[in-house]
Amino acid sequence: KLPKRELIILVLNNLINDVENRKNAADWAMSFVDNDDIELNDLNAWRVLKRIGSADLPASEGGYLYNIEDFISWKKELI
């Protein structure tokens, strides 16, 4: 089953406030994305989980592909 929106928002808030390790957040999200038996009962939550799963992707010029503004945008999709 997908995690509740509140938990996904908590993870996003932790990413926004830089208190969550990006790799840990991405691994957590991917544990749902990679689960073939997951029940897709909330498509917005599913889309955001897939994005969190890529939160630790490096950018070609250094740093990360996604930044705090992205996390804020993803959070707005769940509120």
Side-chain angles (χ1 to χ4, degrees):
K1 192 169 186 173
L2 287 177
K4 293 187 180 211
R5 283 183 178 218
E6 294 83 6
L7 181 55
I8 299 170
I9 290 169
L10 176 66
V11 171
L12 286 168
N13 282 335
N14 288 343
L15 287 168
I16 291 165
N17 295 313
D18 201 27
V19 295
E20 178 75 51
N21 177 290
R22 286 173 178 257
K23 177 155 179 26
N24 290 344
D27 288 347
W28 171 80
M30 290 307 295
S31 72
F32 296 99
V33 173
D34 287 341
N35 183 346
D36 292 333
D37 297 323
I38 201 84
E39 181 183 327
L40 296 179
N41 54 353
D42 184 341
L43 290 180
N44 282 343
W46 177 248
R47 285 186 206 103
V48 172
L49 271 177
K50 290 195 301 185
R51 292 180 191 139
I52 294 172
S54 60
D56 63 340
L57 290 178
S60 59
E61 65 275 354
Y64 293 100
L65 184 60
Y66 298 107
N67 57 40
I68 290 172
E69 289 78 22
D70 295 304
F71 303 149
I72 292 169
S73 174
W74 301 346
K75 178 181 166 183
K76 287 178 182 175
E77 294 181 35
L78 297 177
I79 296 176

